[in-house]
Amino acid sequence: MIMNIGINNYNNFYTSQKSNYAQSFEGASARKLIDKIKKATQLKKLGVTFEELANAYKEIGYDVFFKRGSHAVVPIDKNLNIPVIIPHKDKYVTPYELKRFRYVLNGEFDKAARV
């Protein structure tokens, strides 16, 4: 269930599961990463760590919950969770994770869940 109750910097959707994360000046690197992901033509060349991706999700207003093992989820609403796979050691997230993030930015949550 998506409720249109305001305007976010990156999309026009606020959902019932938005976090209470307050944007601050410390999120400047997350905003730069979001712009990089938006403009990238080859996502596999970006080299984004899981922590950077989690901060980008928090910057646009979503929580990232850790599950067991190497999995995390981003709850969109009570019926839809976007999975995020945590890479081992110092590796980068896959281009599929960045593609999911791009779909979430555009408000295409069904596509994000299918990737």
Side-chain angles (χ1 to χ4, degrees):
M1 181 174 117
I2 298 173
M3 299 182 305
N4 192 2
I5 59 172
I7 297 177
N8 193 349
N9 291 339
Y10 299 104
N11 62 20
N12 292 332
F13 299 104
Y14 275 83
T15 64
S16 59
Q17 293 294 317
K18 287 285 187 168
S19 77
N20 292 329
Y21 179 77
Q23 294 180 359
S24 66
F25 292 111
E26 296 166 351
S29 61
R31 286 190 293 274
K32 287 179 184 177
L33 177 65
I34 292 167
D35 289 336
K36 248 192 219 183
I37 292 171
K38 280 178 161 181
K39 295 175 184 176
T41 56
Q42 293 186 344
L43 293 173
K44 64 182 177 181
K45 292 187 178 184
L46 284 182
V48 177
T49 64
F50 173 77
E51 290 80 17
E52 292 171 331
L53 185 62
N55 288 336
Y57 272 114
K58 289 178 182 177
E59 183 66 28
I60 62 171
Y62 292 101
D63 288 323
V64 178
F65 294 107
F66 293 89
K67 297 293 182 183
R68 61 189 158 126
S70 60
H71 291 81
V73 294
V74 179
I76 302 300
D77 61 24
K78 66 181 181 179
N79 295 324
L80 181 63
N81 291 325
I82 304 297
V84 181
I85 297 173
I86 304 168
H88 296 283
K89 298 187 180 184
D90 296 331
K91 295 184 180 180
Y92 301 122
V93 295
T94 63
Y96 294 110
E97 302 299 335
L98 299 177
K99 193 173 183 181
R100 282 185 186 134
F101 180 76
R102 201 184 264 178
Y103 282 138
V104 170
L105 277 176
N106 295 329
E108 301 176 54
F109 304 118
D110 292 334
K111 285 184 181 179
R114 287 184 278 156
V115 172

